Amino acid sequence: ETPPITPPTLSMEVGANTSPFQGKEGTIIASGRVRDRLYSETDNNVTLSVTKSETDAERSVIHARGELQLGILIEQMRREGYEMTVSPPRIITSICEETGKKLEPYEEVTIDVDTEYSGTVMNSLTSSRKGILLEMSDSSDGKTRMIFEVPSRGLLGFQSEIATATRGTAVVNHLFLENREYVGHIGGVEKGKIVSNDTGKANLYALANIKTW
């Protein structure tokens, strides 16, 4: 029996580039061309789905299974010459028909890491990201395997953060479990915004200071 396809856990809005730098990086900038490219991707990738945005007729919404899948698609389109704007990824939530409560996707996360960094991984997932440690075991080669249950929201930005914290020694795998009751606010990557309203030159010193804002 064929296992069911894992449902999408993330969504992202994609539209034409409307910034002052429009047309400087790519050659395909029309929103209709961007939308057609997204729909053509669903012909070959059954794990992706595309719908029209409810707030902007010029934008489309991609439903995918994780940050990596979205990142690969956006990078592939960029290399093909498409210019676009993308929103931050959002978790796909639902409402329980029986209780009326808000539900969100949970995933089982398996991490293999050097034992010296096991505490770093545990603290990162079980504190602000609301993960639950289910199992932890050490091996003779100096590695530790940990298995967590984590809300999909808690995994946003986790890969890059943990790669830096463990010097690239962590191997992370995650698998969709089920939808569970929404757990409220989750910490994670601190987000900021840089808005460009004109073209021009900037010195390196000025750009470096932006990181501290």
Side-chain angles (χ1 to χ4, degrees):
E1 183 178 353
T2 304
I5 297 175
T6 303
T9 57
L10 293 179
S11 67
M12 173 187 286
E13 284 198 3
V14 179
N17 181 14
T18 56
S19 77
F21 300 102
Q22 183 187 66
K24 293 189 177 294
E25 292 291 334
T27 57
I28 307 173
I29 60 176
S31 60
R33 296 283 301 278
V34 173
R35 181 182 294 113
D36 290 343
R37 174 63 179 83
L38 293 175
Y39 276 111
S40 69
E41 184 70 20
T42 63
D43 294 337
N44 302 316
N45 192 339
V46 297
T47 63
L48 281 175
S49 63
V50 178
T51 59
K52 290 184 177 181
S53 171
E54 297 180 355
T55 58
D56 188 342
E58 296 298 316
R59 298 172 69 85
S60 303
V61 181
I62 313 173
H63 304 272
R65 293 192 295 176
E67 287 179 292
L68 180 60
Q69 189 177 29
L70 288 170
I72 290 173
L73 173 59
I74 296 302
E75 176 62 17
Q76 183 179 350
M77 291 178 63
R78 188 192 68 80
R79 294 185 179 186
E80 293 172 3
Y82 288 88
E83 265 196 11
M84 71 210 88
T85 57
V86 298
S87 72
R90 298 181 179 89
I91 293 299
I92 298 175
T93 59
S94 59
I95 301 297
C96 178
E97 296 181 357
E98 296 179 356
T99 64
K101 293 183 178 180
K102 187 177 182 179
L103 305 177
E104 65 176 330
Y106 268 70
E107 302 188 40
E108 181 180 274
V109 183
T110 302
I111 301 178
D112 294 296
V113 67
D114 287 352
T115 300
E116 62 180 298
Y117 298 116
S118 59
T120 301
V121 174
M122 188 185 307
N123 181 66
S124 178
L125 278 180
T126 59
S127 55
S128 60
R129 296 180 182 272
K130 303 290 182 71
I132 300 173
L133 178 64
L134 300 180
E135 183 180 327
M136 180 176 180
S137 58
D138 295 328
S139 62
S140 57
D141 59 355
K143 295 284 187 179
T144 296
R145 167 166 290 187
M146 291 174 284
I147 301 177
F148 300 85
E149 288 183 356
V150 188
S152 295
R153 281 187 300 144
L155 295 177
L156 294 176
F158 175 71
Q159 291 272 9
S160 57
E161 176 187 302
I162 210 63
T164 301
T166 64
R167 299 181 182 274
T169 64
V171 179
V172 182
N173 295 284
H174 52 96
L175 180 68
F176 174 78
L177 279 176
E178 61 183 356
N179 288 316
R180 297 180 183 173
E181 188 174 339
Y182 193 80
V183 294
H185 174 73
I186 287 181
V189 177
E190 294 295 329
K191 299 178 181 179
K193 295 179 176 65
I194 303 175
V195 179
S196 173
N197 58 10
D198 200 358
T199 59
K201 294 182 179 180
N203 59 51
L204 182 61
Y205 176 77
L207 295 176
N209 285 342
I210 290 177
K211 298 179 181 179
T212 63
W213 290 2

